[in-house]
Amino acid sequence: MSSVLEKLSELSIGGHNWVSDVPNLQKNLRILTQDQIDLAKMLLHEGQSHLFANWAEQGVEDEKKTCFFNQVSRLNANYPGGLAAYIQKARQLLTDSKAGKNPFEGFTPSVPSGEVLTFGDDNFIMFEEVGVKEARKAAFVLVAGGLGERLGYNGIKVALPSETTTGTCFLQNYIACILALQEASCKLLEDKYPVEIPFVIMTSDDTHTPTLKLLESNSFFGMKPGQVKLLKQEKVACLDDNDARIALDPNDKYMIQTKPHGHGDVHSLLYNSGLLNIWHDAGLRWVLFFQDTNGLLFKAIPASLGVSATKGYHVNSLAVPRKAKEAIGGITKLTHADGRTMVINVEYNQLDPLLRETGHSDGDSNCETGYSPFPGNINQLILELGPYIKELNRTHGAIAEFVNPKYKDSSKTSFKSSTRLECMMQDYPKTLPPTARVGFTVMDAWLAYAPVKNNPEDAAKVPKGNPYHSATSGEMAIYRANSLILRKAGVQIADPTTAVFNGQEVEVWPRITWKPKWALIFSDVKKKVKKGCSVSQRSTLVINGENIYFEGLSLDGTLLINAVSEAEVQVTGSVKNKGWAFKPIDYKDYSLPEENRIRGFVIEKLEQLEKNYSEPGQFSLQ
Ligand SMILES: O=c1ccn([C@@H]2O[C@H](COP(=O)(O)OP(=O)(O)O[C@H]3O[C@H](CO)[C@H](O)[C@H](O)[C@H]3O)[C@@H](O)[C@H]2O)c(=O)[nH]1
């Protein structure tokens, strides 16, 4: 009994017994540990007494009450400053949101200048070569904790095929690219002891187990298991109203509703993991962040890493020309009335209001180039490790948060569904000192950016001329990029046709794919493709091998070449067969696999020439 009295007296502040206002908690005090009492006290202090309003008598559902406190304890431990800090922050941000406060108050936007690259010119080739050299000093971080709600795919997004000609999934493609970079970088510097480029994947409860399973069941796609680290982000508590009252699960009164906190968590997770210092001690210089579904990304990585190294950028964001209203943030220079300036991503939902409020009556609109004057942030960031560690030692990885409640009506008093605080990884530069070197690199979208984010219905509604960001367009973009790269290298590539899949009109180029070890950068392509080659529009070409050279090949059909690295294959002559064709399908045809339905076609394999070279030696395919 005395311990209960102690517990009660601890809750008694200024002579008033605070728990007496919450009878259902009071009735359960005897079963609570001291830690649980402390958490309850914190919750009451932060205006959360409603959480206990429907608790059963002591002795009834006690296990669930323990689960409740376990969850509170986790939420408390996982947020810098604890749950109390989270609630206070939320209350402040919800008040600002209700008042319609402009998060960029006092700042005027303007178009920043950055490094604009043109694929294939001397400058581009020079940056690519520098980038490959630097790659051995890089670590890669993939943020893959998102549910992909807009896509609505049942599995994890990194398991989706990036294209269906070879069926290579995104994760496999990313790992193959990192391994190819590792090998090329070490070869260039003739390292006796080849380095292993570290690869971190941020997961969440929604993606962790399937991501691990995908890696394990595919032998980590050729990477050493120790080279890959998974860091799981935790979710944060949902909030029901402007007073930041925590939301309970509608089906369980002892469970707090939680939602993802956003990709910005990656910074605190990396900070707390201790990996950054390990990397620093191992001589690494760069950390490259990227997202779950961009099949073109690694075509842009070498040159942008070269830009970072050459220009000495602490922060380098990759960007592409942006169509007005496209769902990618705009890279913007913000100048404050007091003279401060920063170059930062203004998220796609904030750019239009910011422009309107600062005298641009057209808001987020295209200029005479047919694009928004603000480069589009594709959220692939290259940070210099030393300055990054210094900054995180100061901030512990905390990133500016925001709240985005969907209000029921204009009174802004209640929400359509619970909300939560969120943070974005690209907001990292917001806390940097003015001396930080923050830049960005712009490349053509055809080369650098083709994400898979939208389901077929939403993609079909995208305004004409804006990218669909669907599984259909993501796949077609890979064929287009490879075709354009080969064209630039002198191959005669037929013009594309147009086709409609899942209500989206797309260009269909020859289905050309290659493994990254065949060519990572443009000079590799030029070395391997000699004069006199041509590929017809209906063709498919799969290059699966390192030392495959083309000269005088005329392809009209499907050609698949698989070769071990020790086999040098010269490809020439004419290949003609029925080839592979796209067969349109309906995304509502549930008899078909979801991976195909979301792109609106399957590949009909009518006829092909497949050549396998599994022994070392010199070969010629004529
Ligand atoms: O809690 C989360 C939420 C998301 N993600 C990951 O973060 C990445 C980005 O998520 P979304 O694709 O949902 O991001 P958005 O499309 O909303 O926007 C982001 O990506 C765009 C480009 O693709 C723009 O750059 C934009 O400015 C940037 O915020 C994905 O890999 C996703 O898996 C997490 O890891 N955890």
Side-chain angles (χ1 to χ4, degrees):
M1 190 65 198
S2 68
S3 77
V4 175
L5 284 175
E6 272 165 30
K7 288 172 184 173
L8 284 172
S9 68
E10 260 191 57
L11 284 168
S12 162
I13 301 171
H16 177 71
N17 179 359
W18 284 72
V19 81
S20 64
D21 292 342
V22 193
N24 286 348
L25 174 61
Q26 190 167 26
K27 283 181 208 157
N28 282 284
L29 279 183
R30 266 174 217 267
I31 59 163
L32 303 188
T33 65
Q34 186 57 50
D35 285 349
Q36 292 169 340
I37 291 276
D38 289 343
L39 289 172
K41 195 172 162 188
M42 175 274 291
L43 288 171
L44 297 197
H45 189 255
E46 295 304 330
Q48 307 294 333
S49 57
H50 66 284
L51 294 173
F52 306 99
N54 296 312
W55 273 34
E57 298 284 323
Q58 182 183 321
V60 181
E61 301 175 326
D62 286 353
E63 272 169 27
K64 293 202 139 212
K65 294 168 196 161
T66 307
C67 290
F68 170 85
F69 276 110
N70 289 345
Q71 188 191 15
V72 172
S73 169
R74 275 198 309 277
L75 291 168
N76 194 45
N78 285 327
Y79 189 82
L83 202 45
Y86 178 79
I87 296 164
Q88 288 157 17
K89 188 69 178 289
R91 212 173 279 133
Q92 178 61 51
L93 287 171
L94 285 161
T95 306
D96 291 351
S97 170
K98 186 175 180 215
K101 195 169 162 196
N102 172 5
F104 298 106
E105 184 129 26
F107 283 101
T108 311
S110 60
V111 180
S113 56
E115 193 64 40
V116 181
L117 302 187
T118 306
F119 175 78
D121 71 6
D122 291 348
N123 200 36
F124 185 89
I125 290 172
M126 183 272 291
F127 280 130
E128 278 201 319
E129 279 163 7
V130 175
V132 172
K133 266 191 209 142
E134 286 296 312
R136 58 199 281 285
K137 291 185 244 152
F140 284 83
V141 180
L142 165 63
V143 291
L147 257 179
E149 273 168 298
R150 278 176 287 160
L151 182 65
Y153 173 60
N154 264 318
I156 47 168
K157 289 171 79 182
V158 292
L160 269 177
S162 55
E163 38 80 13
T164 50
T165 294
T166 66
T168 308
C169 75
F170 283 103
L171 189 55
Q172 180 176 7
N173 174 42
Y174 295 149
I175 289 183
C177 290
I178 295 170
L179 290 175
L181 267 173
Q182 175 180 303
E183 205 182 313
S185 192
C186 292
K187 217 184 249 171
L188 222 53
L189 291 148
E190 290 171 356
D191 271 8
K192 284 201 197 78
Y193 308 105
V195 293
E196 282 175 15
I197 294 180
F199 180 34
V200 169
I201 308 175
M202 181 171 82
T203 58
S204 66
D205 277 329
D206 299 318
T207 62
H208 186 83
T209 307
T211 305
L212 190 59
K213 229 187 209 159
L214 180 67
L215 285 165
E216 285 176 346
S217 57
N218 289 286
S219 312
F220 288 73
F221 296 112
M223 214 171 227
K224 296 203 178 129
Q227 200 173 346
V228 189
K229 292 254 174 332
L230 267 55
L231 299 178
K232 184 159 79 78
Q233 65 175 145
E234 297 296 333
K235 293 184 181 175
V236 288
C238 292
L239 309 158
D240 261 339
D241 59 23
N242 286 326
D243 293 327
R245 278 153 51 104
I246 289 175
L248 284 170
D249 186 316
N251 303 315
D252 186 345
K253 61 188 177 195
Y254 299 102
M255 174 110 90
I256 290 172
Q257 247 186 60
T258 57
K259 283 189 184 168
H261 188 222
H263 36 72
D265 278 349
V266 72
H267 301 294
S268 60
L269 276 176
L270 279 175
Y271 174 76
N272 290 323
S273 72
L275 286 169
L276 298 176
N277 288 324
I278 296 174
W279 293 346
H280 193 256
D281 294 346
L284 298 197
R285 198 174 158 208
W286 308 106
V287 191
L288 289 91
F289 295 84
F290 64 108
Q291 301 194 155
D292 49 17
T293 58
N294 181 6
L296 299 182
L297 172 70
F298 277 82
K299 296 190 188 300
I301 288 286
S304 5
L305 183 53
V307 169
S308 276
T310 310
K311 304 269 162 184
Y313 283 158
H314 298 171
V315 178
N316 184 9
S317 306
L318 273 60
V320 296
R322 173 179 183 276
K323 286 279 184 187
K325 318 248 168 7
E326 188 178 343
I328 62 178
I331 298 193
T332 309
K333 181 171 180 183
L334 294 174
T335 307
H336 197 270
D338 65 13
R340 271 179 296 146
T341 63
M342 59 178 162
V343 174
I344 193 87
N345 172 71
V346 174
E347 198 57 340
Y348 45 90
N349 56 338
Q350 292 177 332
L351 189 60
D352 187 74
L354 172 66
L355 289 169
R356 286 179 196 280
E357 273 166 39
T358 49
H360 306 264
S361 54
D362 290 346
D364 180 12
S365 55
N366 292 325
C367 62
E368 62 286 352
T369 59
Y371 288 91
S372 155
F374 297 92
N377 163 46
I378 63 168
N379 238 15
Q380 328 287 330
L381 310 176
I382 304 179
L383 304 187
E384 188 176 349
L385 182 58
Y388 182 46
I389 292 180
K390 214 164 149 195
E391 177 68 1
L392 292 198
N393 282 340
R394 202 173 64 76
T395 63
H396 295 188
I399 295 295
E401 291 162 301
F402 63 96
V403 70
N404 188 15
K406 308 279 181 287
Y407 298 108
K408 266 194 186 140
D409 56 42
S410 58
S411 70
K412 293 189 174 179
T413 43
S414 49
F415 309 156
K416 283 185 188 155
S417 61
S418 64
T419 189
R420 83 290 196 185
L421 298 192
E422 293 176 77
C423 61
M424 303 190 293
M425 70 171 169
Q426 66 269 36
D427 279 343
Y428 163 74
K430 277 190 173 164
T431 55
L432 289 175
T435 50
R437 294 178 61 87
V438 181
F440 61 94
T441 305
V442 186
M443 275 183 233
D444 283 323
W446 69 260
L447 180 71
Y449 187 58
V452 177
K453 302 205 191 211
N454 289 327
N455 62 56
E457 268 169 32
D458 291 343
K461 286 186 217 145
V462 164
K464 203 167 164 53
N466 276 23
Y468 298 116
H469 296 173
S470 66
T472 317
S473 61
E475 173 156 358
M476 294 301 160
I478 293 172
Y479 306 138
R480 178 179 52 187
N482 290 339
S483 295
L484 290 174
I485 292 170
L486 288 193
R487 222 184 222 185
K488 182 90 186 163
V491 180
Q492 236 187 306
I493 301 278
D495 281 337
T497 56
T498 53
V500 177
F501 300 112
N502 282 347
Q504 302 153 54
E505 190 179 286
V506 286
E507 283 184 357
V508 183
W509 289 79
R511 274 69 71 202
I512 298 170
T513 70
W514 60 75
K515 289 273 183 258
K517 65 182 171 205
W518 183 72
L520 262 178
I521 54 176
F522 189 47
S523 54
D524 295 338
V525 176
K526 287 203 295 186
K527 267 181 231 145
K528 290 177 177 171
V529 174
K530 311 267 167 56
K531 58 185 184 316
C533 296
S534 66
V535 180
S536 71
Q537 186 279 331
R538 61 176 203 92
S539 290
T540 298
L541 174 63
V542 176
I543 309 170
N544 178 17
E546 192 178 335
N547 291 305
I548 302 174
Y549 297 85
F550 296 87
E551 185 164 1
L553 167 73
S554 159
L555 176 62
D556 184 28
T558 293
L559 173 62
L560 318 171
I561 311 165
N562 306 303
V564 293
S565 293
E566 300 73 26
E568 195 181 302
V569 186
Q570 305 288 339
V571 185
T572 179
S574 166
V575 176
K576 191 171 168 68
N577 54 44
K578 288 194 189 118
W580 293 1
F582 283 133
K583 183 176 157 216
I585 57 168
D586 184 351
Y587 73 90
K588 288 187 185 135
D589 180 352
Y590 294 100
S591 66
L592 295 162
E594 193 178 7
E595 290 74 11
N596 292 115
R597 284 196 288 111
I598 58 173
R599 42 201 96 216
F601 56 79
V602 285
I603 295 181
E604 272 194 318
K605 300 183 174 176
L606 302 168
E607 194 187 357
Q608 68 279 326
L609 175 67
E610 180 162 14
K611 288 285 190 180
N612 298 303
Y613 302 91
S614 50
E615 301 295 328
Q618 304 235 333
F619 304 90
S620 118
L621 193 167
Q622 290 186 323

